[in-house]
Amino acid sequence: MEKYNAGKYDIAVIGAGHAGIESALAAARLGCTTAVFAINLDSVGNMPCNPSIGGTSKGHLVRELDALGGEMGKAADKYSIQSRMLNLGKGPAVHSLRAQIDRRDYSKGMKHTLELQENLDLRQAEITAIEKREGGWLLTTRLGAEYLAKAVILATGTFLGGKIYIGEAAYESGPDGMFPATELAESLKALGLPLRRFKTGTPSRVNRRSVDFSKTEIQLGDERTVPFSFETEARPENKAACYITYTNEKTKEVILRNLHRSPMYSGKIDGKGPRYCPSFEDKIVRFADKERHQLFIEPCGLETEEMYLQGLSSSLPEEVQLEFLHTIPGLENAQVMRTAYAIEYDCVDPTALKASLEFKDFDGLFGAGQFNGSSGYEEAAAQGLVAGINAARLVQGKSAITLDRGGSYIGTLIDDLVTKGCSDPYRMMTSRSEYRLVLRQDNADIRLTPLGYEIGLISEERYDRFLEKQAQIAAERQRIEEKSIPLSPALNEALEACGTAPLAKGCKMIELLKRPQVTYETLAAFDDERPELPYEVFEQVEISVKYEGYITRQEQQIKEMRRIEAKQIPADIDYSALKGLRLEAIEKLSKIRPENLGQAGRISGVNPADIAALNIILESMNND
């Protein structure tokens, strides 16, 4: 096919899913001419799996993304149809926002956002090859167009070498029946990228009118909703309900009887599936003693009757899926609109990347999202933002921005990927962070908005509002430290009602708030000087008071972590020539090539004695 020169860009983004969107918007908003390529423009911002954003720890990622200037939180608020804060029965460290989304409106809205963005061209084109050229990267489309870009971001999702499995049927495909990117996969392998095969899956969708909701439990949204974006002024409305039902022994029997027909168990699928979001047949095998499994029936939007069966992912044959589906209360007569499937795809070993998400061995080439071995829309978007920022800074001759584990869940996510790698699709969880009391979803703006402003993705107006909020928090903290609450029978009655001991005399308001059961609302009737402030201000003050000792301790741990992280390791160091390191440590350090001593200490197979020896070597090198 004859080729032709189609243009030049600062940055080219391959893929317009959640990672590609954030990459492209960040790069364009930072002043770089940007092109984003999608095989099908109807796949922009698509949600081929669950129609929701957020969830445990994932909500943290979205709020951090927003604090840095990303787009996902704003769009999630705009197209939310139900909002819930998860884990409210536990401490604030694990409170996580989750919203049910109108998936079609979200996709259309994100596409329109890209279309309106200055410096950004949105193109429906399949990139079939990329190659390194002087001054950048050459991208070739299936139609023979050639684009030259100074930097490229690979955000291919599950399209790269995509293959669908449903029982004995298997065929090349991207998600939701889209075309796969097969030629690009071969081009990346020829380039020398360390690709491997992962697998994920999605449940059936059923028609709402065929579901008997009288046999299910209704799940409503929160009475007081919380937006993802710190810029959203109106709180999201709950416009839809979700429902809960359970599988049973009959369901289990159908699965076990047909297990040999699952490509997961017949050996047809080689790719590693997600450990924390397994297929339903995998659940039945792994949790053989469990009598039932919870299942959520969730709406895909307000103007569609499609319902998503959360927790029922499968790759069994279509007729088997129908059989086990009809054993479940409420779904006995369910009409399937979309059959569940597994999808196998190519992704890269993320240890080949720097913390900036640029490849160590390929200048100007970045990876983001599921291409990096992660799972989930939120993980993808977070990486996309970081890749977009750093691609722009590379083009502009600026140093890379890297987020560390002590400052964000985004930093934890990226550090886990590039330092530890992943043997199956990586999913973010609150337990992955050592500092989760400091890295709460409610204070993401405090932690990251100053950085977003410094980078250039937070406007002056938004930053001024942020500073005003911080001033309000500081003033309210000072007020409660000085405010006295006199002793009264009504006060002691209120204290006893919330399960705490009465007072013998009056005290400062801050002392009362230190009690776990006492809240601002408990003291409202006794606080005649309470100012008119947003709920979020009181929330920040109350958490800082109740958890002050624990927060201080974690902040000290973060300070020590950063002291170690500051010890940089030369990029060209030859570990095999260093004395005092074990052979396994030399092998692992040579493969990962950590950027600093802290990162080196988190590599599996490198022990504290190796780090101590490496520290001595680095100090002697610096002294020389």
Side-chain angles (χ1 to χ4, degrees), residues 59-60 63-64 91-95 230 407 409 435-447 539-544 547 551 554-555:
H60 292 65
R63 297 208 101 203
E64 290 180 353
V94 294
H95 293 175
F230 293 95
Y409 270 77
Y435 313 114
R436 55 185 175 272
L437 184 55
V438 170
L439 307 184
R440 305 183 310 277
Q441 57 86 27
D442 59 81
N443 70 356
D445 60 334
I446 298 173
R447 293 183 279 113
E539 179 184 44
Q540 287 307 306
V541 175
E542 188 170 317
I543 291 173
S544 72
Y547 297 91
I551 291 171
Q554 280 202 356
E555 286 174 341

Side-chain angles (χ1 to χ4, degrees), residues 341-596:
Y341 63 83
I343 184 168
E344 196 176 41
Y345 58 96
D346 289 331
C347 58
V348 79
D349 178 353
T351 60
L353 300 165
K354 304 175 188 176
S356 64
L357 297 182
E358 182 183 18
F359 277 87
K360 294 170 184 174
D361 295 327
F362 299 94
D363 295 342
L365 185 63
F366 293 78
Q370 284 183 274
F371 175 76
N372 289 351
S374 64
S375 68
Y377 311 142
E378 304 82 5
E379 290 91 337
Q383 294 170 69
L385 182 75
V386 172
I389 289 169
N390 285 324
R393 292 179 72 87
L394 177 72
V395 167
Q396 295 166 348
K398 299 176 182 178
S399 60
I401 295 292
T402 57
L403 304 174
D404 68 20
R405 302 181 71 85
S408 65
Y409 270 77
I410 298 176
T412 305
L413 159 69
I414 293 174
D415 183 69
D416 278 352
L417 287 171
V418 304
T419 303
K420 303 173 184 177
C422 52
S423 57
D424 52 75
Y426 178 99
R427 179 181 177 178
M428 194 69 226
M429 297 181 290
T430 53
S431 59
R432 293 194 188 273
S433 175
E434 313 91 303
Y435 313 114
R436 55 185 175 272
L437 184 55
V438 170
L439 307 184
R440 305 183 310 277
Q441 57 86 27
D442 59 81
N443 70 356
D445 60 334
I446 298 173
R447 293 183 279 113
L448 295 171
T449 294
L451 177 59
Y453 176 69
E454 179 187 332
I455 291 168
L457 291 176
I458 297 294
S459 68
E460 198 76 41
E461 181 184 1
R462 178 174 177 179
Y463 192 58
D464 287 342
R465 290 198 302 269
F466 165 76
L467 292 178
E468 181 184 359
K469 177 182 174 183
Q470 302 322 299
Q472 291 173 338
I473 292 170
E476 175 61 7
R477 173 70 190 235
Q478 183 175 352
R479 184 186 78 86
I480 66 167
E481 287 177 351
E482 299 170 355
K483 170 73 176 177
S484 294
I485 301 288
L487 178 65
S488 70
L491 174 62
N492 274 339
E493 185 177 332
L495 294 176
E496 289 178 336
C498 66
T500 189
L503 295 174
K505 58 181 180 178
C507 65
K508 297 291 184 184
M509 185 173 174
I510 191 170
E511 295 304 319
L512 284 172
L513 275 178
K514 285 180 180 178
R515 297 187 177 193
Q517 303 96 324
V518 177
T519 66
Y520 262 101
E521 296 311 308
T522 307
L523 303 177
F526 311 99
D527 183 7
D528 54 0
E529 299 174 356
R530 178 169 173 167
E532 289 290 330
L533 292 171
Y535 168 84
E536 290 75 18
V537 172
F538 294 119
E539 179 184 44
Q540 287 307 306
V541 175
E542 188 170 317
I543 291 173
S544 72
V545 169
K546 291 191 185 304
Y547 297 91
E548 189 168 31
Y550 299 104
I551 291 171
T552 299
R553 186 186 308 166
Q554 280 202 356
E555 286 174 341
Q556 288 299 319
Q557 293 170 346
I558 292 170
K559 185 177 179 180
E560 174 60 18
M561 179 271 290
R562 287 178 174 157
R563 183 187 68 81
I564 299 172
E565 298 269 310
K567 296 188 176 183
Q568 298 294 305
I569 300 175
D572 59 352
I573 192 169
D574 181 2
Y575 291 102
S576 63
L578 303 182
K579 295 182 179 180
L581 297 177
R582 296 173 307 111
L583 288 175
E584 183 183 9
I586 291 171
E587 179 185 336
K588 294 294 180 65
L589 290 166
S590 298
K591 179 181 183 294
I592 305 296
R593 287 147 58 193
E595 298 171 47
N596 56 64

Side-chain angles (χ1 to χ4, degrees), residues 231-301:
E231 283 197 288
T232 300
E233 294 181 2
R235 299 190 182 279
E237 295 180 28
N238 290 311
K239 303 172 184 177
C242 297
Y243 302 86
I244 300 172
T245 185
Y246 297 87
T247 64
N248 51 53
E249 286 294 329
K250 289 182 179 178
T251 321
K252 183 177 179 179
E253 187 275 325
V254 174
I255 297 289
L256 292 177
R257 176 162 39 84
N258 291 279
L259 197 60
H260 65 284
R261 300 185 67 190
S262 167
M264 284 285 294
Y265 289 90
S266 65
K268 285 187 176 181
I269 293 181
D270 297 322
K272 290 287 289 183
R275 180 181 308 180
Y276 299 103
C277 189
S279 66
F280 184 61
E281 51 263 37
D282 203 19
K283 285 184 189 178
I284 293 296
V285 173
R286 286 167 55 182
F287 307 104
D289 57 335
K290 198 164 185 178
E291 294 182 1
R292 66 177 191 169
H293 294 268
Q294 192 175 55
L295 166 66
F296 295 88
I297 308 174
E298 303 172 337
C300 290

Side-chain angles (χ1 to χ4, degrees), residues 12-16 20 35-38 127 129-130 139 152-157 184 188:
V13 181
I14 303 176
V36 57
F37 298 94
I127 303 298
I130 71 168
L139 286 70
V152 173
I153 300 171
L154 297 167
T156 51
L184 179 60
L188 296 178

